[in-house]
Structures are given as structure tokens and as C-alpha cells.
Amino acid sequence: MASTAAGKQRIPKVAKVKNKAPAEVQITAEQLLREAKERELELLPPPPKQKITDNEELNDYKLRKRKTFEDNIRKNRTVISNWIKYAQWEESLKEVQRARSIYERALDVDHRNITLWLKYAEMEMKNRQVNHARNIWDRAITILPRVNQFWYKYTYMEEMLGNVAGTRQVFERWMEWQPEEQAWHSYINFELRYKEVDRARSIYERFVIVHPDVKNWIKYARFEEKHGYIAHGRKVYERAVEFFGEDHMDENLYVAFAKFEENQKESERVRVIYKYALDRIPKQQAQELFKNYTIFEKKYGDRRGIEDIIVNKRRFQYEEEVKANPHNYDAWFDYLRLVESDTDADTVREVYERAIANVPPTKEKRHWKRYIYLWINYALYEELEEKDPERTRQVYQACLELIPHKKFTFAKMWLMYAQFEIRQKNLHLARKALGTSIGKSPKHKLFKGYIELELQLREFDRCRKLYEKFLEFAPENCTTWIKFAELETILGDTERARAVYELAIGQPRLDMPEVWISFAQFELSAGSEDTLAKCRQIYEEANKTLRNCEEKEERLMLLESWRSFEHELGSESAQQRVAKLMPERVKKRRKLQAEDGSDAGWEEYYDYIFPEDAANQPNLKLLAMAKLWKKQQKDDDEDDDEQDPDKDIDESSS
């Protein structure tokens, strides 16, 4: 009966999964962990503060704290910060032996960790365990000899302990590794602190061999000069000249050598050194050498000798060039650069006056472009070098009077003069100059420069007047209309901005789409109730206006802007309507002719056929029929390809 009852016992049914497809939203382990952290599910409140009253409680606290540290280390042995915190905690309890044991265990884990060695050694030094600290530094520099910080701290500790011999021994061990330059300087300064000049000299001898740079040889020689060993210093310079030879000559070495001899009052030696170097070093690499030679000659030679030796040769060359061709302005520029670097202000002014006296013979702007820079350089020289604003003003005014403004002008000159007057805080003179320039010879650059000046001064009424004058001068400039309207928009005067745009699109010569597009964007940004209707109306008017435009790319630009507008804000019907207005791009050929009228072949180009244009309707119908015919031909070819395999099968069976 029991077995029968057991047989009749029902086994629970396993629930069948009807839908085995993956869930739409997949949850990853990373997401679960991130949500747990965001909700702070695993954060535990900080343990309560407790006061330790007897040794038993203290020992219990130590045991729990050590267990926590050991658990952290056991979880991740490679996190050195856990070891350091553990050791520092033991050190705070004056358990130096335990802290030392922890540091040693940490070094077994990662003996190349620089911070670990530093903390270990600092602990020993802090607790006055000198021999232990010395042992740690020895081990550190043996294992990691390229870490300069170990050597610096080791030598500093030994020197602070007064162990000069031990410090020197550490430095010598360090120098065997041929470290960076600063390490050698530290060794030298150490010896000099104890008046060991001979030892410092021997270190320098090794230093310039390990680091054979010019600056290091110069430091060696200056060291000898500083300590009164003049003969040794001269010998160091001579050895350096011989060491580098003529293939690796450096002007800094010869300048330092010459200044050394100059300090010893050896003028003839200095002159020989400069001449020797100038004869062998390329001129473009000896600018500093030449400059110092000039200063030396000014100190110890007569003026005529200076000019004869240094300047006269080049000056004679330039004088010959400008005599042969007074209108060779490049030669004048080089000549002026020479006299500005070497002579006094009166001589420079004389050469400038001679240069600007050579006015171009014809009143064609291309002949004046180089000449006008003589005046610009002259004005900049007076302002920046001589600090003479009155003469600078005279130069600008003389130049502006000389330019034939009825033929052409230089906007750069007017703007530089106005900027100069602003730097002199003469705003009325700057405005007067710019107003005169616009009155005599209006140019786009002059209007833009004047408007920019008044914008910086926040004189918006003046800006409006200037924009009006600018548009009277160049009503076909679409950028000016747009900038004017943008100014009114920034000032918050929406009605004035709209009026500017309406005036712009009403200009018969202004048939470019940029203004229309800007107008539409302005209406869109105005945020009125019927914004979309106004923008759409603007685009429609623009499309009608540009139908007669010869440049079809401009009309295409407008339609693309309209299409983007409708895609963002319009309905589907509006989008379809604009899509119907988009042109077909077709490739065409046209005949080319050379300048002499002969046939130059054919050229392929792309043209646009707009559906709206009535004249293009036949072309569009023809194009559609051609596409339909091509499609039919393709379908027929595919049908023939499908029938061919059946024929092959019939032939093989027969």
C-alpha cells in the first residue's frame, strides 16, 4: 500500500517558459553595481567613536585595527597605499619594529615602487635610526640607480649628519652612472661648500667629458675665472675651441671667450677671437657674435673704425644698389634695416627721407604697393623706436596728402593713422581721419574699420549712420545689409531690423539668396505668432525673384535652405511641395573657344533644370522619357538573360 501510495504521489510540474525570446531591456552586472552605488545600498554608517580607558581596551583596538589592515592587504596585495597606511599607523603607535616589518613585506611585493622606499627611509630618519636609514638608501640606489631622488636625499642626509667623507663617497658612486647635469652641479657645489676647489676642478674635468656641451665648457671656464685662476680659465677656453674644432663651431663659445679676455683687458686677444670666429662661422649663425663684436668696437675702437670694419661694406653695397635704381624699394628696405640696427636716429631719418622721396613715376596702384610700406615703416619707427608721436603724426599726414586719392587710395594707411590717434587718446582726430577717408575715396575696408571702431566705443547711432552711408555707396553688398540688420536685432529693435531686410530685398541689383535666407532666419528667431507663415512667404517671394537669376546655383542654395526649414518645422505637405521645386541635375556639353577665336574643344558641365520654369517643361518631359526608355531596356536585357539557361538545357537533352 505504501508503495502504491508512493507511486500515486504526484510529481510537481515544471513551469514551462512560453516565451524564450530575450527581454527587450537587458540588465547587466555593471548596471546593477552602478545602481547599487548610486542608491548607496552598501554604504555602512561610520563606527561610533570610543574612548579607550585601559590597556585591555587598547590591545583590543590594536588587534581589530591590525586585522582590518591585514584583510585589506590580503584582498589586494599590489595596492601599495594600503601597506603605507598600515606602516604609518604602526609608526604613530611608536611600533617602529612592526612598521619596519610591514615596509619589508611591501618591498617583497613591489621593490620598484619609489614612494615606498622614500616613506621607509623617511620613517627611519624621523625616528633617528641613522644606520637603518643608511641601509635603506644603499639598497634603494643599488636596486634603482637611475632614480635621482634617492641619491639627492641620501647625500643630503649624510651632509646633514656631518659625514663629509661619506657624502663624497655617495656622490662618487652616483657619478659612476653618468647622471644628468644637475647631479654634477650638486657634487661641485658640495665640494665648494667645503672650499675644496681642486676637487671641484677634477669633477669639472670629468663633467665636460660626460656632457660635452658648449655651455658646460663655459661654466668650467667661469668657475676658474671666479676663483682667480685666469690661466686655467684661458686654457679651458682654448681646449674647448680645440675640442669642437671648425666642424662644430658655436658662436656662444667665442662670445664667452672674448668677454673673458675683455675682462682681463686683453683687447687685442678679443679682436683676434672675434675675427677668427667671424671668418669661420656662417653669417646667418653668427648674429650674436657680430652684435657683441660691434659693442666691443664701440667701447674700445674709434667710430670711423667701427663703421669701416662692420657697416661700411654693406652700406656701400646698398648705396650702389639705390643709386643704380632709386625705385628698387627692396634695396631701400634692406638699407633701412641696416641703419636702424647700427646708427643714430638722425641718420635713420635721413635715409628714410631719401627713400620716400622716390615717388613712383606713374599713378598706378600696383607701382605704389611696395612704396607705401616705406611710409608705414617710417611711421612705426618714429612711434615705437623714437617714441615721438608728433613726428609720427607728421609722417602719416604727409603720406596721406601724397597719395592720389582720386585715382586710388590705401585703406590700410587711413586705418593705421586712426589707430595711432586712438593710442594717443585723440578720438576726435581718429574720427576726422576716417570721415575724410570716406569722403575722399570710400572703400569697403574703410567703412568696415570705421564701423568696428564705433562698435567698440558703443556708439550705435554713429554705427547706424555709417551703415546708411555704406549702403548708399554699395547697395549691392549683401553682407552689409545682413550686418546692419544683425546690429538692429542685437539692439532689440526688431521693427528696424525687419525694415532693413525689406529694403535689402527691394534692391534691384541685390539678387543673391543670402539676404533672403538671413531675413527668413530673422523672422524665425523673432518668435511671433505667425512666424512660420512669414518665413514661408519670404522663401516664396525669394524663389519668384530668383527665377530670372542667371546663376542657378544661387537659386538652388535658396531652395536647399527652404527645404531644411520645412524639414525642421514644416508639415509633410509643405515638404513635398518644396521637394517638387528642387531641380534636376543634368550633365551637358558646350563648345570652347580660344582667345584667338579658334576651336578649343568641348567642355562638360552640370546644369540645373527647375520644374517651375515653363521653358524647361519639354526638357523635363524628354528627360523623364529617356529615363523610362533606359529602364525598359534594362528590364528587357534581364528577361533575355533569364531565358538563355533554359535554351541550353533543351539543347543538351536533345
Side-chain angles (χ1 to χ4, degrees), residues 221 224-225 229-235 237 255-265 270:
E224 297 287 4
E225 182 183 7
Y229 296 97
I230 305 301
H232 283 85
R234 183 176 289 117
K235 188 175 181 181
Y237 278 118
V255 169
F257 194 4
K259 287 183 177 179
F260 167 81
E261 295 293 358
E262 186 178 346
N263 293 335
Q264 313 312 320
K265 310 299 181 185
V270 176

Side-chain angles (χ1 to χ4, degrees), residues 68-253:
T68 303
F69 279 120
E70 291 290 346
D71 289 342
N72 289 337
I73 291 170
R74 195 178 302 109
K75 288 178 184 177
N76 197 343
R77 292 172 57 83
T78 59
V79 179
I80 300 301
S81 59
N82 291 338
W83 294 95
I84 294 174
K85 289 177 184 177
Y86 190 7
Q88 288 176 343
W89 180 79
E90 292 287 1
E91 182 189 357
S92 67
L93 298 177
K94 305 301 181 184
E95 297 282 356
V96 179
Q97 189 61 38
R98 284 181 174 272
R100 190 178 291 133
S101 173
I102 294 165
Y103 276 121
E104 291 294 339
R105 289 166 59 196
L107 289 173
D108 290 339
V109 174
D110 185 5
H111 65 279
R112 304 188 68 82
N113 191 290
I114 298 172
T115 306
L116 192 59
W117 287 103
L118 293 174
K119 296 290 184 183
Y120 191 6
E122 286 172 3
M123 182 201 74
E124 298 290 4
M125 290 190 293
K126 196 184 300 181
N127 291 281
R128 301 181 182 278
Q129 301 292 326
V130 177
N131 289 329
H132 281 286
R134 190 175 284 131
N135 180 30
I136 293 166
W137 290 127
D138 276 329
R139 291 164 59 194
I141 62 177
T142 303
I143 295 172
L144 300 171
R146 291 297 180 187
V147 180
N148 294 329
Q149 199 173 2
F150 293 162
W151 296 98
Y152 283 122
K153 286 187 175 291
Y154 193 5
T155 54
Y156 180 75
M157 184 192 77
E158 293 290 358
E159 189 174 1
M160 289 296 100
L161 293 172
N163 186 7
V164 178
T167 308
R168 186 176 291 118
Q169 186 178 4
V170 175
F171 269 119
E172 286 295 332
R173 289 174 61 188
W174 192 6
M175 296 307 111
E176 291 176 0
W177 290 95
Q178 297 183 356
E180 61 183 14
E181 296 178 8
Q182 186 57 42
W184 292 89
H185 291 310
S186 299
Y187 192 9
I188 292 166
N189 293 333
F190 162 75
E191 295 292 359
L192 292 178
R193 283 196 291 271
Y194 297 97
K195 311 300 181 185
E196 296 286 350
V197 179
D198 292 335
R199 288 181 179 273
R201 182 180 293 115
S202 65
I203 298 167
Y204 261 120
E205 288 289 341
R206 294 152 57 193
F207 175 43
V208 295
I209 300 301
V210 175
H211 296 283
D213 296 333
V214 170
K215 61 180 182 179
N216 295 331
W217 284 95
I218 294 173
K219 288 178 182 177
Y220 184 14
R222 287 175 180 170
F223 157 79
E224 297 287 4
E225 182 183 7
K226 180 180 178 181
H227 291 86
Y229 296 97
I230 305 301
H232 283 85
R234 183 176 289 117
K235 188 175 181 181
V236 170
Y237 278 118
E238 291 172 354
R239 285 173 56 200
V241 171
E242 184 180 356
F243 178 83
F244 289 102
E246 295 187 2
D247 295 334
H248 303 283
M249 296 181 72
D250 191 302
E251 63 172 348
N252 295 322
L253 175 61

